[in-house]
Structure formats: structure tokens, C-alpha cells
Amino acid sequence: MKQAIVVRSDLGMGTGKLAAQVAHAALSAVEHANSDTVRDWKREGQRKVVLKIDGERALFEIQEKAKTAGLPTGLIRDAGRTQLDPDTPTTVAVGPASDEAVDQITGSLSLY
């Protein structure tokens, strides 16, 4: 089992900002997962992978594919207090779910 967190590479976020957005997305998706899935994922080490994507539209497409597949997702929009404009979509998490299910949605993306 794993979770993929997809980050927009076109925003030029600083390291700290990027880390915060990834954390927000990871937690958000877990909140939408069923308890058995979360338990199994935790037991297996809470594996995560951070991937990159270019652009807002592509980020929304990943989210839509995950929702259609019935996978938990968490899309994050920045509050706009530091580096980005308010409501800027930054990241989306897919899973936790089986490796195969997550890979069907994010398998073509590169590591961040």
C-alpha cells in the first residue's frame, strides 16, 4: 500500500512551502480513507511517494481520475499568506490504497 502526493512543479515553491503542502495533502487524503485501509497502510509503514506535475489543469485531472477510481484524495489550495496567491491549487494526494490502484493514476509521473 502507498500514497502518492502530486506537486505542481510550475509554482516554484520554496522547500519549506513544498513540505507543508505535501503534509497537508497527505493528511487530507487519509481523512477520506476508510479505517481498515488506514490501519493496513500504517501497519505497512505509511509508504509515500512525492511526484511532480506541471500545471493546475493536470493536477485537477489526477484528482478526478482518483475520485472516479474510488480512491481517497486530498486537494490542497494555498491560503495565500506567504509565497502564493490565495486559493492556488498546489498538491493532491492519492491514497492510501494498493500500489496497483495508485500506480494506475500516478504511475506515469516522475519523482519530485
Side-chain angles (χ1 to χ4, degrees), residues 3 23-35 37-39 41-42 46 48 72-74 93-96:
Q3 182 181 61
H24 289 317
L27 287 172
S28 178
V30 167
E31 290 174 347
H32 294 100
N34 79 44
S35 59
T37 298
V38 172
R39 182 196 65 234
W41 177 63
K42 285 181 176 181
Q46 299 180 33
K48 298 168 200 70
T73 67
V94 177

Side-chain angles (χ1 to χ4, degrees), residues 56-71:
E56 182 177 315
R57 183 178 184 161
L59 191 74
F60 288 133
E61 288 173 0
I62 292 293
Q63 181 193 32
E64 193 56 39
K65 286 179 185 178
K67 283 183 172 183
T68 299
L71 302 180

Side-chain angles (χ1 to χ4, degrees), residues 16-27:
K17 173 60 108 181
L18 189 143
Q21 299 298 297
V22 166
H24 289 317
L27 287 172

Side-chain angles (χ1 to χ4, degrees), residues 60-97:
F60 288 133
E61 288 173 0
I62 292 293
Q63 181 193 32
E64 193 56 39
K65 286 179 185 178
K67 283 183 172 183
T68 299
L71 302 180
T73 67
L75 179 79
I76 302 304
R77 293 175 179 272
D78 192 67
R81 294 187 191 107
T82 57
Q83 299 176 16
L84 302 172
D85 291 333
D87 207 36
T88 300
T90 59
T91 54
V92 66
V94 177

